[in-house]
Amino acid sequence: MAEDSPKRRKANFNEAETEVLIEQVLKHEQLLFAAGPGRASPGQKRKVWELIRHKVNPVAACPRDVEDLKKRWRDLKRRDRSKLCRLSQGCGPPGPPALGLLLASEELPPARRQRR
């Protein structure tokens, strides 16, 4: 009978979950996203994502799995790039990951602040 019930979506990420996710992904950014001969194996990346999951779940509104965290990270990067694009009005190459999320508009470089 459980198969017949409609699937309910999970709760939105709260601020604490998002902060922990950003902090942990940036801490392990080299392992997760490095390219070239020194990059981590898929098994190593899976272990890092599991570690991040264990850090996020204690502050989570509901249990998160690795795929939830990866999707949230992709969404944050996409949102950040579009925000930086709007700020620069040039849509050039994106800045460092999570720059817009970690810096308030007052903390942005003066060149970006003046063009807003």
Side-chain angles (χ1 to χ4, degrees), residues 3-75:
E3 294 94 28
D4 296 336
S5 64
K7 184 178 178 183
R8 296 187 54 110
R9 69 181 192 88
K10 290 185 178 181
N12 291 340
F13 274 73
N14 62 35
E15 190 174 323
E17 288 174 277
T18 302
E19 286 178 13
V20 172
L21 176 64
I22 291 170
E23 174 188 310
Q24 291 299 312
V25 170
L26 291 178
K27 180 179 176 181
H28 299 287
E29 184 176 27
Q30 188 65 32
L31 274 173
L32 293 172
F33 307 116
R39 70 178 179 211
S41 70
Q44 290 171 315
K45 290 180 183 182
R46 189 174 30 248
K47 286 179 184 177
V48 171
W49 279 110
E50 283 294 326
L51 173 74
I52 293 170
R53 183 178 67 86
H54 287 296
K55 299 275 186 173
V56 170
N57 276 339
V59 297
C62 64
R64 304 293 182 183
D65 57 29
V66 170
E67 289 307 313
D68 295 334
L69 299 176
K70 287 180 178 181
K71 182 180 185 310
R72 178 65 173 161
W73 179 251
R74 283 190 304 266
D75 290 346

Side-chain angles (χ1 to χ4, degrees), residues 94-110:
L99 175 67
L101 297 171
L102 300 175
L103 299 177
S105 62
E106 302 82 36
E107 297 173 315
L108 287 172

